[in-house]
Each structure stands twice: as structure tokens, then as C-alpha cells.
Amino acid sequence: MGLPPKAAFPLSLFLLLSLLLLSLVLATTTQQEEFSEELLLKPLPDRKILAHFHFQNEAPFDADSFARHHHLFPKSISQLGSIYGCSAAASSYWWFFLAYPLVFAAFCAFTLVQKFHIKSMELSFTQGRWNYERWGGFDPISSHNAKPPGVELWAVFDVPPHQVDASWKNLTHSLSGLFCASINFLESSTTYSAPEWAFQSALGSLRYGTLPREAVCTENLTPWLKLLPCRDKAGLSSLMDRPSIYRSFYHSQRLHLTMSSAPSDGSRSGIILEQTLTVVLQPNDRNADMNHVSKAKIQPSWSLSSIFGRKISGRCVLAKLSNVYLHADKGLVAQLENLHKNTAQFANNDTGPEDYRVNIGFKLSVTPKRVHTELGKDSSILYEYPIKDYKDTEQFDLGLSWEHPIVWSSPHAPFYASRFLMGSGNERGAIAISLKSTEMTQGLITNNIEERCKLQVNVLQVVPWYVKVYYHTLQLLVDERPRVLTDFVERMRVSPSEDKVSPGMMELVLQFPCEMKSAVLSIEFDKGFLHIDEYPPDANQGFDIPSAIISFPDFNAGLQFFDKSQSKSPLLSKLQEKSPVLSYTEVLLVPLTTPDFSMPYNVITITCTVFALYFGSLVNVLRRRVGEEERLLKNKDASKAVFLRRVLTKLSAKLRGRPLESTTSPSSSSSFVSPKLILKVLLVAGIAIAWQYYSQ
């Protein structure tokens, strides 16, 4: 039964106005998303180049924005966070939903989706290990982007404590399908832990897990690139040549998600997605014509086209900011200044910025648009190149050519951290963490002569459950002498492992004097036994113990640049962010007692052979037709007998000189086997059976 025409017109007008108002409300937020792309290049002391790609995508996420559609931000990532719900929308736009309740119901049905309520999350895929001694460990790149080999995932959830584990399990499955990796193996309680002091996050809702043996390949990089608005078709991401990346010494792709509802720094609230790719490459040496002595010292010249095989043809049209930076760290700048002082040549360049001066150490193929100098006595330099001025006709190809051999060292953390195994055999062993002082601690000693200086070191060690650690055997050696543990341990938190349930975890807060040269922490363990179903396919290779995390809370890795631009770039903000210095140790390979996997193989092979022979013979007997076989044998024997009789008959006829008979009766051929012969055979068989019976 339809509506009358007079009632249908107001209803249609009402629905039309509702849709217009709803689209107007939703449109207030769809134009506030921002995307930026930046690239940082940095020469390393060991003749290598560091390339750090930084992509940042921001989307508003507050009481005034509850749109479900995104123009730039990837929808698959936004659904991982806490989606703005009906209650918050109704509190903001109560006047609209009160007037149009049908629209409110439709909006609630649209926003009620599966969500994980993530406050912050970080996922990294890494191949290789960061060399802290040569590439440095006291800068934001090494602290934020130097990750352990394999997969590392940590997340902070905004859910009640009893729902954290379920949210973690759902998150691992979603990320596993999104990035085509084995992240779902972290769902088991034996693979993740809940540290409290290693990360600056909310307590009680943090989960941390690693997969040291996860292989990283293009199947993981392609989904990561699909999250970018321009993917790898335009902008800085077009430099990501797969062969160049995967033949590098170290590469790590990282994804960091942050949900901020009320930021303290005054920035707008929303969801921020940071995607970084850190690659250490070896440039092609152009100084092949130089002698061996100078070639061993001078740095190889390079350009973007030589290390990536491509040039930058322009920026991504959806990017608000697209810049390339060249960073010269403190050690390099100090050596360049010494070279200026010791050399008579000193040239100025009036075509570039005011504080840009051509040094005699190296030459740049492109004049920088802006130069950022770090504040302080020992300052580093950052050259900035905007990409918005370059198009397809004029491609950007930054190159650096060295003029003189320069040797320098990157800034290091207060201590070098390394880890190794002790002991032999498949029963017992020990884990040792070694800390060696660097030149930074020597500077602290000279600056604090009057008062006693101390350094705080935080240690996080997670071990699998089959490595049964005895925490009471923890020992400390300071400057190669045993010390009382309580004199240096300020706090300690231990979570013993439970068989097939949870791993073991140890967190330490140590206080060392600044004049200390070295320290060694050692702890003993027993190797457990696994069920045959729990061994991996390559069990004889050994089992991995994840990297230990060593942090120095008293030291910040931020760089303080004097920003001359009005709009601060996300990469510069990240470099100036104060965060504790962080380093990872090596991944340990522990051999466990493994069964003889060849014995089950041999048993299975013999058993299958016996069964094949038995069932083959049985099937052959069951499928054979007995009467048909006897008839064929009888006809065959009869034909042989007839042929033999014919031959004998012909021979006897020739010998006697009688004519040969033309035909033979069929009865004669069939009577070849006579009843007398059958009786003789039966008699002989009976005698044999009787003899065998009486002989036993």
C-alpha cells in the first residue's frame, strides 16, 4: 500500500535534506589529511651510504571528525585504531541527530566495525644487523630505526587488562595478512611478553614480541609501499629499486602508528602513520685509477643514480612536503674544519645560502636551498633540497664527490653492548652481556671531576621457555673483577618462564660509575626437551634467543637544529625529538638436543615397502581369474604336446618310409594327459607327505 502523493513529497524532501546535512558534516574533515615524503642521505665512515626514507601520513581524529572515508590515509591502517563511535558523535552533533534519528541509526551501523583500540604500535622488518661501532649509536636514526633481525612488534592497547591478550591475538592475525608475513606466530603466549621499563609507554597494556628467523623479502615491501598515496610510481618512493635495496648491508622497513586524543605539545589530535625505510648501501667506487694507499682512505664518490639506479623525476602530487637532506655528522664536520685550518685554500660560494660555504673536503653537484646547523659547539650540518622545483624535464640527481681523504668516526653510545654464549654441551650453558665504555664516558669523567658521576643502564632480556634460566645465578663483573650485585642493581623485575605457556623475562636498572671500563652480566640456564611435534623443520640449525634491549635513559639522541623555515618538516621534528638512546644486541643461536630424525624415516620406509609387497600380492591374487588361467595353461600345454607329436610322427614316418597321416583326432590330443599319470602323481605326493609326517 503506497503513500499518497501529498505525503510522499515531504518525506522525500526530508531524506534529501538529511543526506545533504550529513555530507556537509562529513566534508568538514576530509580536507585535513596531510602527507609528506622526505629522504635523508648520510655518508658513513666505512665508505658506505645511509639512506633513510621517511613518509608521514596524518588524519584528523577528534570529536569534530568521524568520517569513515579517507583521501590519503590508508583505510586498512585506520581500522587498527580506536574508531570514533556513535556516542562521541552524538555528543558533538546532538542537534543534528536529534532532528534526524534515522540518520543517526545509519551512522551508528556504519561506524560499528571491528577495531583493536590501539594507542600506539610499531612493526619492523629487518635484514642484517646495525653496526654500532662503525655506523654510530648516538643519533636518532640508530636509536629509532636500528632494529633487530627479523620481525619486531610492540603495541599499546586502550582496553581493559583482561582484553589485552585477545586484542594482541587479533592484531597479529590482521598484520600477518596485511604484510604477507608470519606475524600470526606471535599470537601464542610463548612468544610475547609484557615489559614495563624498556619502553616509554603505558603500563599494563604493552605487548612485545619478536621473530628473529623471519625472512624479509619483496613480499613484505610491496604491501608496505601500497600504504603510500603514490606507492612507488612517483616521488621519493620511486627510488626504491628492489635489487638495490636487497643487496644492501642493512635494510629495515618500519611502520609506527600513534593515536593522540589530547597532545601535550599543542598539535592537533589525530592518527599519525610513520613509514620509514633505512638502507645502508655500498656505492660504486669511482676512484679506481688511484693507487692502493690513497684508495684505502678516500671515500667513494656517489650520486642518487649510482646507488639507486634512478633519479627523482618530481614529487608526489599528493605530498604537502617533499625534501631531500644531506647530513654531515659531528665527526665529519670536525675533520672538515681541521682540513680548512691546515690548508691554504679557502673558497666562498656566493650563489647559495648565506651560511653555505664550499669546503675542500667534498663537492656537491647541486647547491642546497637551505642549510641547517646544529646548535652547540660540536655541531652537525644538514643540507636541504626541496623537490617541488623539479619535474620530468629536469630530474633531481644529488651527487657528492670527495676531494681529499677524510677519516672520522660517528658518535657512539656510552657503552658498546654485545652478547654471547658460554659453556659447551647440550645440557647447560650461560648467557653473557658485555658492556664496554666509549669515548663519551671519558668526556663525562673530565666534566664531572668534583662530583661522582653515574650512568643508568636498562637491560631487557627475553628468553624462550625451553631455555630454563636460573635467575639466582646472576653475576656481575666490573672491570674484570666480581662485584656484589646489589651495589649496582637499582631495580629488578623477573618473570620466570612456564613450560609451553610463557617465556622468561628479566628487566634490570643498573647504575654504573662513569669511570668504569667494562662490565659483564652472566646468568646460567639449562636446555629443555621438546616434543617431537614442537621441533621446526630445521631443528639441527639451532634455536634463536631474541636480541636484548639496552637503553640509556640519561642520554637523549635528539639533534637541535635552528629551523629557519616557517613550517617544520616531520623529519626535522623527528630528528629533534628527545628520546633515550637505545641499542640491540646480537641474536643468539642455542643448539638443543634433537632426536634422530633419520630413524623414523628409515622405519617409515621399511614399513611402506613391506605393506606395498603384501598388499600388491594380495590384490594380484584377488584380481586373478583362476579358471581362465587354468584353461589358458591347458590349451598352451596341449598345443605344445600336439606340436611335439606331429614332429615325432613325421620323423618316424620318414624313417619307416610310410606315408604321413593327414589329420589327428582331437581326442588323441586331449588324451595326452592320461588318468594313469594323474594317479602316479597323487601316489608320489602321498608317499612324500607320509614320509615327512613319520620322520618328524
Side-chain angles (χ1 to χ4, degrees):
M1 184 175 179
L3 294 174
K6 294 183 179 181
F9 178 75
L11 182 60
S12 61
L13 183 61
F14 170 78
L15 294 176
L16 181 61
L17 291 176
S18 302
L19 292 176
L20 290 176
L21 288 175
L22 181 60
S23 62
L24 180 62
V25 172
L26 295 180
T28 57
T29 61
T30 57
Q31 300 178 358
Q32 299 180 8
E33 300 179 17
E34 294 181 359
F35 172 72
S36 62
E37 55 176 4
E38 293 170 290
L39 170 61
L40 176 67
L41 300 172
K42 178 182 176 182
L44 298 176
D46 60 344
R47 304 166 57 84
K48 296 181 179 61
I49 300 299
L50 170 66
H52 176 70
F53 295 86
H54 185 273
F55 306 95
Q56 182 165 316
N57 208 327
E58 300 183 33
F61 192 73
D62 50 23
D64 296 330
S65 61
F66 51 88
R68 297 294 307 128
H69 178 71
H70 295 284
H71 289 281
L72 301 177
F73 201 89
K75 185 177 180 181
S76 58
I77 298 298
S78 65
Q79 290 180 349
L80 298 178
S82 301
I83 305 300
Y84 188 82
C86 304
S87 58
S91 63
S92 245
Y93 298 96
W94 59 269
W95 52 269
F96 175 77
F97 291 124
L98 184 62
Y100 303 100
L102 294 178
V103 179
F104 174 71
F107 173 77
C108 289
F110 185 68
T111 57
L112 288 177
V113 297
Q114 180 68 27
K115 48 188 177 295
F116 305 110
H117 298 280
I118 298 174
K119 296 176 64 177
S120 60
M121 181 197 74
E122 184 174 288
L123 174 65
S124 63
F125 296 86
T126 307
Q127 181 175 334
R129 184 176 180 269
W130 184 267
N131 194 334
Y132 289 95
E133 296 184 4
R134 295 185 177 182
W135 304 339
F138 195 77
D139 58 281
I141 301 298
S142 61
S143 296
H144 291 118
N145 301 277
K147 297 298 179 181
V151 172
E152 184 192 42
L153 173 65
W154 62 264
V156 180
F157 299 93
D158 188 14
V159 294
H162 65 278
Q163 298 180 4
V164 175
D165 293 333
S167 300
W168 170 266
K169 179 179 179 181
N170 295 332
L171 176 64
T172 56
H173 280 269
S174 299
L175 294 176
S176 178
L178 183 62
F179 291 98
C180 192
S182 303
I183 309 176
N184 58 316
F185 288 167
L186 293 175
E187 69 167 348
S188 176
S189 59
T190 60
T191 57
Y192 66 87
S193 58
E196 295 183 0
W197 304 333
F199 299 92
Q200 302 294 328
S201 304
L203 302 180
S205 59
L206 174 67
R207 293 296 180 267
Y208 173 79
T210 58
L211 295 173
R213 199 173 294 188
E214 180 72 15
V216 183
C217 59
T218 56
E219 294 181 355
N220 311 123
L221 181 61
T222 302
W224 185 85
L225 290 173
K226 288 183 178 179
L227 301 178
L228 301 176
C230 294
R231 299 191 179 184
D232 59 344
K233 306 302 180 182
L236 300 180
S237 58
S238 61
L239 293 176
M240 297 182 184
D241 181 44
R242 304 302 194 276
S244 300
I245 293 176
Y246 287 98
R247 68 166 174 260
S248 61
F249 290 87
Y250 171 88
H251 75 270
S252 176
Q253 61 184 65
R254 171 176 161 268
L255 183 143
H256 186 85
L257 181 66
T258 305
M259 307 289 298
S260 59
S261 57
S264 59
D265 56 355
S267 60
R268 62 175 186 172
S269 61
I271 176 172
I272 302 175
L273 175 64
E274 296 179 13
Q275 294 179 248
T276 62
L277 177 64
T278 306
V279 188
V280 177
L281 300 166
Q282 177 67 57
N284 297 327
D285 197 354
R286 299 180 181 178
N287 303 312
D289 54 342
M290 301 183 65
N291 54 31
H292 180 73
V293 178
S294 61
K295 183 179 177 181
K297 295 181 179 180
I298 196 170
Q299 293 283 333
S301 301
W302 54 268
S303 62
L304 290 177
S305 58
S306 64
I307 60 178
F308 291 108
R310 302 175 182 177
K311 300 179 182 180
I312 301 177
S313 57
R315 67 181 184 91
C316 175
V317 295
L318 300 175
K320 181 181 179 181
L321 182 67
S322 181
N323 291 335
V324 175
Y325 299 94
L326 177 63
H327 184 212
D329 57 13
K330 299 179 180 179
L332 178 57
V333 173
Q335 293 298 325
L336 291 176
E337 292 179 354
N338 294 334
L339 187 62
H340 278 292
K341 295 178 182 178
N342 299 331
T343 307
Q345 298 178 359
F346 194 80
N348 293 328
N349 185 9
D350 299 332
T351 60
E354 296 179 358
D355 54 356
Y356 174 64
R357 185 168 51 195
V358 175
N359 59 75
I360 61 175
F362 60 84
K363 290 183 179 180
L364 300 176
S365 61
V366 183
T367 303
K369 183 71 174 179
R370 190 177 294 108
V371 178
H372 303 272
T373 304
E374 188 180 1
L375 302 177
K377 181 179 179 181
D378 298 330
S379 60
S380 60
I381 299 177
L382 194 67
Y383 303 98
E384 180 180 342
Y385 299 90
I387 307 299
K388 61 181 180 179
D389 300 332
Y390 294 88
K391 299 180 181 179
D392 296 339
T393 57
E394 185 183 1
Q395 296 181 345
F396 178 77
D397 187 16
L398 176 62
L400 185 147
S401 59
W402 296 87
E403 301 295 330
H404 294 274
I406 298 177
V407 179
W408 77 95
S409 61
S410 299
H412 300 96
F415 293 101
Y416 290 127
S418 61
R419 191 178 59 167
F420 52 90
L421 288 175
M422 298 188 302
S424 60
N426 292 329
E427 186 179 0
R428 295 183 179 88
I431 301 175
I433 300 177
S434 175
L435 301 174
K436 295 182 179 180
S437 62
T438 61
E439 67 277 0
M440 177 176 290
T441 57
Q442 299 176 1
L444 293 175
I445 296 173
T446 57
N447 296 332
N448 298 273
I449 300 178
E450 298 180 358
E451 58 181 8
R452 185 174 179 82
C453 174
K454 287 188 176 182
L455 296 176
Q456 180 178 342
V457 180
N458 295 348
V459 180
L460 171 63
Q461 176 66 72
V462 180
V463 295
W465 64 268
Y466 44 79
V467 178
K468 305 180 184 300
V469 178
Y470 297 104
Y471 295 99
H472 68 280
T473 62
L474 182 64
Q475 297 180 359
L476 177 63
L477 297 177
V478 177
D479 294 333
E480 300 181 356
R481 291 185 299 175
R483 295 296 185 91
V484 180
L485 194 64
T486 55
D487 296 341
F488 297 89
V489 177
E490 183 177 350
R491 288 184 298 171
M492 182 176 182
R493 178 174 177 264
V494 173
S495 176
S497 61
E498 188 176 352
D499 290 351
K500 302 180 182 180
V501 176
S502 61
M505 183 183 64
M506 179 181 66
E507 291 184 281
L508 295 174
V509 178
L510 304 172
Q511 292 285 349
F512 291 117
C514 296
E515 62 270 12
M516 184 191 69
K517 299 298 182 181
S518 64
V520 178
L521 282 167
S522 63
I523 190 168
E524 299 178 2
F525 65 88
D526 283 349
K527 301 177 182 180
F529 292 94
L530 302 178
H531 192 267
I532 190 171
D533 296 336
E534 297 172 346
Y535 285 96
D538 52 349
N540 292 311
Q541 179 183 352
F543 295 79
D544 295 308
I545 296 181
S547 301
I549 302 178
I550 311 297
S551 59
F552 307 95
D554 297 337
F555 296 88
N556 296 323
L559 304 177
Q560 300 300 322
F561 289 105
F562 181 71
D563 190 11
K564 300 179 181 180
S565 60
Q566 298 294 332
S567 59
K568 185 180 296 185
S569 69
L571 180 58
L572 286 178
S573 301
K574 201 66 180 180
L575 293 177
Q576 300 185 63
E577 181 180 340
K578 293 184 178 180
S579 59
V581 178
L582 194 69
S583 62
Y584 292 85
T585 63
E586 301 87 350
V587 176
L588 296 180
L589 190 64
V590 181
L592 296 183
T593 303
T594 56
D596 185 7
F597 291 102
S598 63
M599 183 177 180
Y601 171 76
N602 296 334
V603 172
I604 291 172
T605 304
I606 296 174
T607 305
C608 292
T609 304
V610 172
F611 271 89
L613 294 175
Y614 173 74
F615 282 104
S617 302
L618 181 61
V619 170
N620 189 19
V621 171
L622 294 177
R623 293 285 297 174
R624 181 180 298 173
R625 297 181 181 180
V626 180
E628 187 69 18
E629 293 290 336
E630 291 181 354
R631 186 181 64 81
L632 293 175
L633 290 175
K634 186 183 296 184
N635 294 336
K636 187 176 181 181
D637 295 339
S639 61
K640 290 181 179 180
V642 171
F643 176 75
L644 183 60
R645 178 166 298 196
R646 287 180 180 179
V647 172
L648 294 176
T649 304
K650 289 181 179 180
L651 183 61
S652 61
K654 287 183 178 182
L655 292 176
R656 295 179 183 181
R658 295 180 180 181
L660 182 64
E661 297 180 359
S662 60
T663 58
T664 57
S665 60
S667 61
S668 63
S669 63
S670 62
S671 64
F672 179 76
V673 183
S674 61
K676 293 182 180 181
L677 181 60
I678 297 176
L679 291 176
K680 290 180 181 180
V681 172
L682 292 177
L683 181 60
V684 172
I687 293 172
I689 293 173
W691 175 261
Q692 183 71 18
Y693 177 75
Y694 284 109
S695 64
Q696 293 180 355

